[in-house]
Amino acid sequence: MRTIRVFTVTFIAFALLLLAGCGGGSSAAPVNPPPKKGPTDLMDMSASATYLGFHGGLYENAALNMPADHLTAGTVALGKVQPLAKNGAPDPTNGKIVFLGFGMSHVFYEFGDFVAAIQGNPLVNQATMVPVNGGQLGKTACFWTVTSGSPSCDPPDPVPPCNAASSNAYDIVRDCYLTPAGVSEKQVQVAWLKEADKEPAVNGLHSLCNPAQPNCTDDDTTDAMHYERLLGEILRAAKIRYPNLQQVFISSRSYGGYATIPLNPEPFAFENGFAVKWAIQAQIDQARNQTIDPVAGDLDYVGGKVPWVSWGPYLWADGTNPRSDGLVWCDGQPGPPCNGEADFRADDHTHPSPEGQAKVTQLLLKFFMNSPLTPWFRP
């Protein structure tokens, strides 16, 4: 578990520089010069390397693979995934396993592309698995923390995409996506989640503190810790709305260094990965020592407070600087490794373009086709 530390930083100058590059949502000239080399992605950080004092890796001890006890717990959760009828009763003949993608607009675009790509694929379970895209435009992390009604989020709720019972994110999933697909909330058993705080710098949140500078506290005003807290709230809310939800695979943000809007630029996009890592570790630690993490809150999957959680595919790479598996994020740069590829929309350089969506689809497909904890995805 990470510790909460007090450091200092000359934050005003940093925030001004960050906001100066965020502008509005207009189609400014492409921000496509090769970006300055940024931090090393979590996957490629060595065991001794740190970012502002925090170790990398996806799991404890800078590891890429989950610890054995959490894998065992995930196997137990997997054993509960089975075809269910609409009322939640086991139905091996006609039942379904709903695989829900939920979260912000990136999920709407990326999981939508993924669902379209796997339709009819003979290597994917077409018989009992029903993938449902519950991603919603404008529904950043705050909106998924309450099971009914409207949370106190900024901005006000976006207009629902259908005649839903309310603007609550879970009501919209039910009324606009699950019901039209012929399935129910009680059939949702596995999920992919990707989220972020909206406009952290605009809304008073700061990046992780630099231990070399004075007067900055890593607390709930730190975006990564604020998002970790919201992740815990989201997981508890999701378990209430989806009582048979057993597994949630979480991905952090992809690269935000080209952004021309303040939605979630760097370094917030990179540091989003620490929030995911800390939330997962909080569940691991709670299972071991029965101590509830003070930031993420109660993540007890044995007692049914939340589903079992782990990493999905890790999506962040440092722009055109390839990570060890070759992943890069491009913004139209003419030379290698991009050769004109533009992974982000020209109007904001933040949301994925069709090329960017396809890149995430391939990462999702590789993950769910190969994970020992997702046999329900395969025939």
Side-chain angles (χ1 to χ4, degrees):
M1 184 186 301
R2 84 274 175 270
T3 56
I4 301 174
R5 297 175 294 171
V6 178
F7 296 128
T8 56
V9 70
T10 309
F11 183 73
I12 296 176
F14 172 80
L16 290 173
L17 287 171
L18 182 65
L19 289 172
C22 289
S26 62
S27 9
V31 184
N32 61 14
K36 293 176 63 177
K37 187 167 179 57
T40 301
D41 62 89
L42 295 185
M43 290 175 56
D44 291 329
M45 288 178 68
S46 68
S48 61
T50 62
Y51 170 83
L52 300 180
F54 298 102
H55 287 277
L58 302 183
Y59 296 95
E60 61 190 6
N61 303 317
L64 298 184
N65 297 318
M66 70 181 71
D69 54 347
H70 199 55
L71 178 60
T72 297
T75 304
V76 172
L78 169 62
K80 299 176 183 178
V81 176
Q82 60 181 315
L84 299 177
K86 285 186 177 181
N87 64 2
D91 183 355
T93 303
N94 299 307
K96 300 298 179 184
I97 299 168
V98 173
F99 175 22
L100 177 69
F102 73 112
M104 58 186 179
S105 53
H106 284 70
V107 175
F108 176 83
Y109 295 116
E110 294 163 355
F111 202 76
D113 187 88
F114 173 72
V115 169
I118 64 175
Q119 295 302 311
N121 186 331
L123 300 178
V124 175
N125 177 8
Q126 306 289 337
T128 58
M129 184 194 70
V130 179
V132 175
N133 181 15
Q136 296 173 38
L137 304 180
K139 296 287 192 183
T140 45
C142 173
F143 289 96
W144 298 90
T145 60
V146 297
T147 58
S148 61
S150 298
S152 300
C153 300
D154 178 33
D157 288 1
V159 177
C162 75
N163 187 23
S166 79
S167 59
N168 177 270
Y170 296 99
D171 285 348
I172 291 173
V173 171
R174 180 194 61 202
D175 297 342
C176 302
Y177 304 120
L178 292 174
T179 299
V183 292
S184 73
E185 291 183 311
K186 292 183 178 180
Q187 291 172 296
V188 176
Q189 298 178 72
V190 290
W192 178 59
L193 169 63
K194 180 183 178 183
E195 263 299 353
D197 285 320
K198 179 183 183 294
E199 299 182 347
V202 174
N203 289 309
L205 300 176
H206 62 82
S207 58
L208 288 167
C209 293
N210 186 336
Q213 303 294 332
N215 301 324
C216 178
T217 303
D218 276 332
D219 56 18
D220 199 55
T221 64
T222 307
D223 177 61
M225 295 184 66
H226 184 268
Y227 178 49
E228 181 193 358
R229 175 174 63 79
L230 294 187
L231 274 177
E233 295 179 14
I234 291 169
L235 292 168
R236 289 185 288 275
K239 186 63 175 178
I240 292 172
R241 288 300 297 249
Y242 311 126
N244 294 312
L245 182 60
Q246 307 297 338
Q247 301 175 312
V248 173
F249 300 92
I250 310 176
S251 291
S252 60
R253 285 269 287 116
S254 50
Y255 186 64
Y258 304 119
T260 56
I261 60 172
L263 181 62
N264 198 266
E266 297 298 339
F268 301 109
F270 170 71
E271 293 178 359
N272 181 276
F274 282 103
V276 175
K277 176 181 178 176
W278 294 337
I280 294 169
Q281 189 63 44
Q283 184 177 74
I284 294 171
D285 290 339
Q286 182 174 344
R288 290 172 177 167
N289 55 37
Q290 287 72 58
T291 300
I292 295 175
D293 186 87
V295 178
D298 193 352
L299 298 179
D300 176 20
Y301 53 82
V302 175
K305 287 288 186 180
V306 298
W308 175 89
V309 297
S310 79
W311 277 95
Y314 177 67
L315 304 180
W316 195 90
D318 184 23
T320 59
N321 299 304
R323 69 186 196 190
S324 58
D325 61 358
L327 180 67
V328 295
W329 290 104
C330 298
D331 199 44
Q333 292 89 344
C338 296
N339 298 315
E341 176 185 308
D343 294 323
F344 301 95
R345 286 186 352 205
D347 62 338
D348 61 15
H349 303 273
T350 297
H351 291 92
S353 68
E355 287 176 295
Q357 294 168 37
K359 187 171 286 189
V360 174
T361 286
Q362 290 306 308
L363 291 167
L364 287 167
L365 188 60
K366 179 180 179 181
F367 180 88
F368 288 107
M369 287 295 294
N370 292 285
S371 172
L373 295 173
T374 59
W376 46 263
F377 185 76
R378 305 179 287 272

